[in-house]
């Protein structure tokens, strides 16, 4: 089995690679109707399904990552964030898997810092140049959030056409380059410094 143990530390949050001790939180978060209405999960997630995905898929696929966001002040896990489709040669990936399961952390400094830690890791450690995301067209809140982070609609050739319709939900492809990220990163760093 592949050894995976990413840990990214910030001032307020720690991102830890998914492992079995986090499964009960992930299952609870992903099964809440308010959380999963825009997720690619048309079924009730169980411990058995989570274990199967982890053992058979995740641990053997280095093109993806799933990190759990943990509040450092009280060691409380509050959500997930990650990526798929990482291609080292093309220097691309799809960012996503963002789910704030504990509603107390929505729009929090911990969530903001989590994005910075993830994006820094993808752009500067994995050397991604273009990051893609796919958002359900009806998910206006998340579209607005991602635009604030510098993502713009891909008006050129769609890079991941299979992601445009998931579980009958129409999605739009957005992208952001590493150079574009720097501008937005600095804005959010300044906001965090004020907190």
């Amino acid at each position: 089995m592949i050894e995976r143990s990413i840990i990214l530390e910030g001032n307020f949050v720690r991102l830890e690679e998914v492992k079995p001790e986090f499964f009960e939180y992930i299952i609870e978060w992903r099964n809440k109707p308010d959380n999963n209405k825009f997720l690619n999960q048309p079924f009730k997630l169980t411990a058995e399904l989570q274990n199967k995905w982890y053992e058979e898929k995740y641990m053997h696929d280095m093109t993806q990552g799933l990190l759990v966001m943990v509040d450092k002040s009280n060691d409380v896990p509050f959500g997930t964030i990650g990526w798929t489709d990482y291609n080292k040669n093309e220097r691309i990936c799809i960012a996503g898997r963002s789910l704030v399961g504990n509603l107390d952390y929505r729009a929090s400094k911990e969530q903001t810092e989590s994005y910075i830690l993830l994006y820094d890791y993808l752009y500067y450690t994995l050397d991604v140049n273009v990051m893609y995301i796919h958002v359900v067209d009806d998910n206006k809140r998340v579209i607005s959030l991602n635009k604030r982070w510098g993502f713009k609609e891909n008006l050129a050739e769609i890079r991941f056409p299979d992601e445009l319709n998931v579980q009958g939900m129409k999605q739009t492809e957005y992208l952001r380059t590493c150079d574009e990220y720097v501008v937005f990163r600095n804005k959010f760093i300044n906001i965090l410094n004020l907190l």
Side-chain angles (χ1 to χ4, degrees):
M1 187 179 293
I2 298 167
E3 186 65 34
R4 301 184 72 150
S5 57
I6 298 168
I7 297 178
L8 307 176
E9 292 271 353
N11 293 320
F12 310 111
V13 73
R14 179 177 67 254
L15 303 184
E16 288 190 48
E17 189 147 21
V18 67
K19 52 191 168 190
E21 70 188 61
F22 293 123
F23 287 0
E24 70 177 278
Y25 297 103
I26 293 169
I27 292 166
E28 177 189 341
W29 298 332
R30 290 186 70 91
N31 285 331
K32 284 184 182 174
D34 285 346
N35 288 345
N36 73 12
K37 63 184 171 184
F38 296 119
L39 295 180
N40 180 14
Q41 181 190 299
F43 53 84
K44 181 173 180 171
L45 184 60
T46 65
E48 181 181 354
L49 289 171
Q50 179 70 18
N51 269 311
K52 181 179 170 84
W53 168 82
Y54 181 74
E55 296 291 340
E56 295 178 13
K57 175 79 171 146
Y58 185 78
M59 292 303 290
H60 303 282
D61 181 358
M62 298 307 289
T63 70
Q64 65 171 308
L66 180 63
L67 307 176
V68 175
M69 300 181 279
V70 180
D71 181 343
K72 285 177 67 172
S73 69
N74 55 21
D75 212 35
V76 168
F78 64 89
T80 63
I81 195 166
W83 68 92
T84 61
D85 295 85
Y86 169 62
N87 185 313
K88 182 178 181 177
N89 294 329
E90 292 187 49
R91 298 177 62 210
I92 62 172
C93 74
I94 299 174
R97 297 181 156 174
S98 179
L99 175 61
V100 178
N102 182 331
L103 299 184
D104 293 341
Y105 289 90
R106 287 223 173 130
S108 67
K109 65 186 177 197
E110 291 85 5
Q111 181 183 6
T112 298
E113 188 177 53
S114 294
Y115 287 164
I116 292 169
L117 290 171
L118 175 73
Y119 297 153
D120 282 1
Y121 178 77
L122 293 173
Y123 283 124
Y124 306 130
T125 302
L126 295 187
D127 195 32
V128 167
N129 183 48
V130 181
M131 187 179 296
Y132 294 86
I133 61 169
H134 300 88
V135 184
V136 174
D137 290 354
D138 291 337
N139 198 346
K140 303 301 183 194
R141 184 181 59 81
V142 171
I143 291 170
S144 175
L145 172 67
N146 284 297
K147 286 182 176 180
R148 285 194 306 272
W149 279 97
F151 286 97
K152 59 186 183 248
E153 185 175 346
N154 182 7
L155 300 175
E157 182 179 350
I158 299 300
R159 180 61 182 84
F160 296 96
D162 290 345
E163 298 291 331
L164 297 185
N165 192 311
V166 175
Q167 303 302 331
M169 296 180 287
K170 184 178 179 305
Q171 299 197 123
T172 297
E173 184 169 88
Y174 299 83
L175 60 88
R176 182 187 61 204
T177 67
C178 184
D179 289 341
E180 291 166 335
Y181 168 62
V182 172
V183 174
F184 294 92
R185 180 189 192 278
N186 290 338
K187 289 179 184 177
F188 282 101
I189 289 287
N190 288 336
I191 290 169
L192 284 178
N193 287 337
L194 296 175
L195 299 176

